[in-house]
């Protein structure tokens, strides 16, 4: 049984007094917003936690075995806009993505983003994190690596849960080693339905309130939440009000409904996010998620929704420089060979030295050492490499299938005599570098007087309705200054991935059409559409494998 689906064994049924919870949440929202302006809200007894106050992040030091934090000096917990300002008022946010927003990727993303950029961890299973030391050590290694103020802040740690006691126990283990703890209420995947977490809690408002409020009343750091919109603007606003009333000091709204996923993703509805923003107190900090493909979309989203920050998932995975503000086009669309090398060097220099790989390989291959090595090689910064390279190099791998197959077969377990877990991936990188070098030699980029790439945009004349040229690239309407351009990003530079529409995906073989079995939702004339793993990256897939044409990509986030 999957560790994620096992969460469903503690499933809580929906309470009959659902409407009373809604009414109570609406009554609480004004009082909750007022209390955000003060140092702490009045304490409420929680049946799942002790009455002892939990220290704030700057007041605690985690024990070496991952145990509870130790109090040094008590300080008040910052909330609302005061908290947001204390972490640098981030306008750009790297989303929580299962097996995708691990430490190495966060370090790479921070290098190519504004200094105040906020990063989320992958989604962690609260019960396993609280009760299983191996799982915890493979997920979040604080304070030496994850959450280290020297290189990994601000950072929010995200959990999925359906049991307040489990969630609190897990959250206490990172309290003091992160800036906030986030509750995942957005994962739309079938595994989340089976395990009863993520967006499949959204009908059980009583449980959601208890989960958030338990953390709010018992943690030294703020609690935040990430939700999806519901069927109407009004219902979505009610839902958001309940989440905030429960104690969430930052609310992220993904502008898609639960059923919008995979090839049926569609566009996020920014108007619903705007409606929520306009009807919540201004001291509630809000982030928007969805429709971020280009750097220019960040400003568009901020203007359209009125939120404080914009979150990117899939856009960040395909171009970690999506938040780059430099006028230098080379920085905004980095070459895939250079970004691939930088990514592997981060793992080699920042991650591997902290893992006892050489020491274990030098020992006799006993059952014990093999088991320990197996645990070490499951470090999230190692297990995510294949998936990240498939995305960073996606336009090259579709052209050079031999390289794609090598990436698919590469593994960190083939360390060789030099105990180098990156050996096979570095061999793939060398081929990518050769291919890009050959392309640039045959077709040099156009440079300006300073020797810099002139960029991917060609301005379209105002009277040219159809745009210019051969139709390649995308026509974009840019705001600053207002103009129309055709954007052609060379295939060897990081760029967005445009998911095919359902009918296109079926034609490509990326989706299959199966007869509907029994009663249920229908699509495409009474037939069900099943994706094969090319899902959206806005929430985070928890399955371990996903097909990528002829290769296998681990940890595909959706």
């Amino acid at each position: 049984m999957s560790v994620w689906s096992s969460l469903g064994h503690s499933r809580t049924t929906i309470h009959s007094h659902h409407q009373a919870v809604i009414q109570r949440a609406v009554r609480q929202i004004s009082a909750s917003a007022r209390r955000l302006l003060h140092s702490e809200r009045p304490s409420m007894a929680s049946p799942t936690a002790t009455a002892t106050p939990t220290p704030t992040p700057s007041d605690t030091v985690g024990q070496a075995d991952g145990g509870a934090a130790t109090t040094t000096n008590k300080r008040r917990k910052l909330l609302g806009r005061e908290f947001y300002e204390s972490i640098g008022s981030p306008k750009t946010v790297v989303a929580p993505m299962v097996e995708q927003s691990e430490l190495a990727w966060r370090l790479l993303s921070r290098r190519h983003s504004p200094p105040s950029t906020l990063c989320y961890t992958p989604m962690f299973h609260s019960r396993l994190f609280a009760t299983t030391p191996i799982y915890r050590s493979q997920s979040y290694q604080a304070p030496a690596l994850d959450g280290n103020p020297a290189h990994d802040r601000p950072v929010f740690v995200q959990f999925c849960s359906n049991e307040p006691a489990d969630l609190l126990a897990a959250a206490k283990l990172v309290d003091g080693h992160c800036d906030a703890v986030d509750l995942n209420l957005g994962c739309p995947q079938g595994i989340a339905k089976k395990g009863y977490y993520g967006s499949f809690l959204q009908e059980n408002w009583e449980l959601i309130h208890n989960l958030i409020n338990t953390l709010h009343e018992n943690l030294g750091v703020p609690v935040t939440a990430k939700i999806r919109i519901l069927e109407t603007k009004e219902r979505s606003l009610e839902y958001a009000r309940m989440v905030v009333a429960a104690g969430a000091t930052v609310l992220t709204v993904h502008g898609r409904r639960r059923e919008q996923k995979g090839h049926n993703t569609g566009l996020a509805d920014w108007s619903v996010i705007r409606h929520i923003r306009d009807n919540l107190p201004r001291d509630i900090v809000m982030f928007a998620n969805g429709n971020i493909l280009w750097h220019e979309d960040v400003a568009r989203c901020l203007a359209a929704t009125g939120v404080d920050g914009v979150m990117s998932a899939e856009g960040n995975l395909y171009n970690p420089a999506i938040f780059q503000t430099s006028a230098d086009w080379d920085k905004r669309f980095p070459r895939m060979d250079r970004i691939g090398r930088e990514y592997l060097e981060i793992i080699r220099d920042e991650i591997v030295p902290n893992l006892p790989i050489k020491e274990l390989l030098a020992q006799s291959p006993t059952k014990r050492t093999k088991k320990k090595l197996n645990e070490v090689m499951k470090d999230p910064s190692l297990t995510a490499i294949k998936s990240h390279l498939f995305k960073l190099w996606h336009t090259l791998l579709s052209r050079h299938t031999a390289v794609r197959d090598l990436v698919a077969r590469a593994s960190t377990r083939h360390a060789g005599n030099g105990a180098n877990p990156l050996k096979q991936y570095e061999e793939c990188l060398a081929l990518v570098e050769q291919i890009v070098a050959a392309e640039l030699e045959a077709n040099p980029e156009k440079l300006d007087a300073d020797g810099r790439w002139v960029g991917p945009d060609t301005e379209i004349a105002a009277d040219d309705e159809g745009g210019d040229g051969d139709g390649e690239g995308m026509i974009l309407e840019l705001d600053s200054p207002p103009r129309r351009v055709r954007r052609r990003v060379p295939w060897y530079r990081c760029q967005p991935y445009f998911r095919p529409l359902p009918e296109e995906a079926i034609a490509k073989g990326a989706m299959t059409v199966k007869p509907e079995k029994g009663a249920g939702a229908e699509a495409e004339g009474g037939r069900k559409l099943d994706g094969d793993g090319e899902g959206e990256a806005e929430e985070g897939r928890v399955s371990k494998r996903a097909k990528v044409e002829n290769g296998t990509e681990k940890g595909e986030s959706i």
Side-chain angles (χ1 to χ4, degrees):
M1 178 180 295
S2 166
V3 295
W4 294 98
S5 62
S6 69
L7 193 57
H9 287 289
S10 59
R11 176 167 180 162
T12 306
T13 57
I14 300 177
H15 291 65
S16 61
H17 54 288
H18 184 119
Q19 189 60 38
V21 176
I22 301 174
Q23 295 171 351
R24 185 173 76 244
V26 172
R27 288 196 302 270
Q28 288 179 343
I29 183 66
S30 296
S32 297
R34 286 196 301 270
R35 289 198 296 268
L36 281 170
L37 299 176
H38 300 286
S39 61
E40 291 185 344
R41 301 188 209 187
S43 177
M44 294 176 60
S46 169
T48 62
T50 64
T52 304
T54 303
T56 64
S58 59
D59 302 325
T60 60
V61 178
Q63 296 177 354
D65 61 357
T70 304
T71 303
T72 56
N73 294 298
K74 182 179 178 181
R75 293 172 58 185
R76 67 189 181 94
K77 178 167 67 175
L78 301 181
L79 299 170
R81 205 148 293 279
E82 187 179 14
F83 163 70
Y84 178 61
E85 292 170 355
S86 75
I87 61 172
S89 302
K91 296 291 184 184
T92 49
V93 184
V94 175
M97 298 170 284
V98 170
E99 297 184 342
Q100 299 285 266
S101 56
E102 77 294 338
L103 177 60
W105 190 258
R106 297 198 300 271
L107 294 176
L108 179 68
S109 298
R110 292 184 193 278
R111 288 186 181 185
H112 295 271
S113 303
S116 62
T117 296
L118 166 65
C119 293
Y120 281 65
T121 68
M123 180 182 73
F124 302 138
H125 183 300
S126 66
R127 179 174 57 79
L128 290 176
F129 194 93
T131 61
T132 311
I134 292 177
Y135 177 85
R136 185 164 61 246
S137 67
Q138 291 171 346
S139 300
Y140 198 73
Q141 301 176 45
L145 295 176
D146 299 87
N148 189 312
H151 56 244
D152 192 29
R153 293 293 186 95
V155 63
F156 289 5
V157 176
Q158 188 185 71
F159 292 104
C160 68
S161 186
N162 59 31
E163 171 52 55
D166 290 343
L167 181 59
L168 180 61
K172 280 183 172 290
L173 292 169
V174 299
D175 194 350
H177 305 300
C178 62
D179 295 282
V181 170
D182 186 78
L183 176 63
N184 183 313
L185 296 172
C187 184
Q189 299 307 315
I191 195 72
K193 181 177 182 179
K194 186 176 182 180
Y196 194 53
Y197 59 83
S199 66
F200 295 94
L201 297 183
Q202 68 188 28
E203 286 80 24
N204 191 342
W205 291 16
E206 176 78 5
L207 175 57
I208 290 175
H209 184 280
N210 290 341
L211 288 166
I212 294 174
N213 193 252
T214 296
L215 294 189
H216 168 63
E217 297 295 341
N218 294 282
L219 282 186
V221 294
V223 57
T224 68
K226 186 171 187 287
I227 67 173
R228 284 185 171 236
I229 62 174
L230 303 184
E231 59 273 12
T232 66
K233 289 184 178 180
E234 295 74 21
R235 185 68 170 165
S236 299
L237 176 59
E238 280 187 278
Y239 183 31
R241 281 175 165 164
M242 180 275 296
V243 170
V244 169
T249 197
V250 176
L251 178 68
T252 300
V253 180
H254 184 174
R256 294 184 176 93
R257 299 183 306 280
R258 181 169 60 197
E259 59 270 23
Q260 290 181 268
K261 58 184 179 179
H263 289 288
N264 293 312
T265 294
L267 291 176
D269 192 339
W270 286 355
S271 69
V272 178
I273 300 177
R274 182 81 204 201
H275 181 69
I276 295 172
R277 172 69 283 177
D278 287 346
N279 289 279
L280 286 183
R282 297 306 302 177
D283 201 58
I284 299 300
V285 178
M286 271 189 63
F287 299 147
N289 184 202
N291 298 352
I292 308 300
L293 292 173
W294 310 100
H295 167 76
E296 294 86 355
D297 292 331
V298 174
R300 289 179 53 245
C301 184
L302 289 171
T305 62
V307 297
D308 300 282
V310 173
M311 176 181 285
S312 173
E314 193 165 75
N316 163 262
L317 291 176
Y318 286 94
N319 182 6
I322 191 171
F323 293 142
Q324 178 61 251
T325 59
S326 173
D328 187 341
W329 287 107
D330 190 58
K331 293 181 179 180
R332 290 174 60 179
F333 295 97
R335 279 170 36 183
M336 63 173 61
D337 56 332
R338 291 175 176 171
I339 205 77
R341 177 161 293 283
E342 183 180 5
Y343 168 55
L344 292 181
E345 286 178 350
I346 287 174
I347 299 173
R348 183 193 67 197
D349 299 338
E350 306 295 337
I351 306 299
V352 173
N354 292 281
L355 302 175
I357 297 175
K358 288 186 177 181
E359 293 83 347
L360 290 170
L361 287 174
Q363 297 177 20
S364 300
T366 64
K367 184 176 180 180
R368 180 179 179 278
T369 56
K370 287 181 179 180
K371 180 180 179 181
K372 181 62 178 177
L373 182 62
N374 183 60
E375 295 171 359
V376 170
M377 299 304 285
K378 289 181 181 179
D379 184 276
S381 290
L382 297 181
T383 59
I385 295 175
K386 190 188 302 292
S387 183
H388 283 309
L389 293 182
F390 265 109
K391 292 179 176 65
L392 289 175
W393 298 343
H394 72 101
T395 49
L396 180 146
L397 298 181
S398 63
R399 295 165 176 258
H400 299 272
T401 56
V403 180
R404 179 194 65 197
D405 293 342
L406 286 176
V407 176
R409 292 195 296 268
S411 172
T412 56
R413 308 222 173 220
H414 302 149
N417 294 332
N420 176 15
L422 305 180
K423 179 177 180 291
Q424 293 192 340
Y425 289 113
E426 289 173 342
E427 292 170 353
C428 295
L429 171 63
L431 293 176
V432 170
E433 291 175 328
Q434 292 174 16
I435 292 170
V436 173
E439 172 67 19
L440 288 171
E441 183 177 359
N443 300 289
E445 290 183 324
K446 185 177 180 181
L447 306 179
D448 62 17
D450 297 321
R452 299 185 302 181
W453 177 44
V454 297
D457 292 354
T458 302
E459 192 159 347
I460 301 174
D463 57 353
D464 186 355
E465 296 183 0
D468 71 331
D470 53 15
E472 291 184 357
M474 288 190 65
I475 295 178
L476 302 180
E477 302 279 348
L478 304 182
D479 300 327
S480 182
R483 66 199 188 281
R484 294 171 71 227
V485 301
R486 183 177 292 279
R487 177 164 291 176
R488 301 183 182 92
V489 182
W491 60 263
Y492 47 83
R493 290 186 177 273
C494 294
Q495 55 193 278
Y497 168 73
F498 296 94
R499 186 179 297 103
L501 296 172
E503 54 271 23
E504 296 172 336
I506 292 172
K508 289 175 59 179
M511 297 179 71
T512 58
V513 182
K514 296 181 179 179
E516 186 68 46
K517 295 181 180 179
E522 294 187 351
E524 298 293 308
R527 292 177 180 269
K528 185 186 298 183
L529 300 178
D530 294 331
D532 73 346
E534 289 185 354
E536 84 182 87
E538 305 296 353
E539 287 299 341
R541 188 189 190 102
V542 296
S543 66
K544 293 290 186 180
R545 302 174 66 187
K547 292 182 181 178
V548 179
E549 299 186 9
N550 294 337
T552 301
E553 178 175 2
K554 184 174 182 179
E556 172 84 6
S557 294
I558 56 180

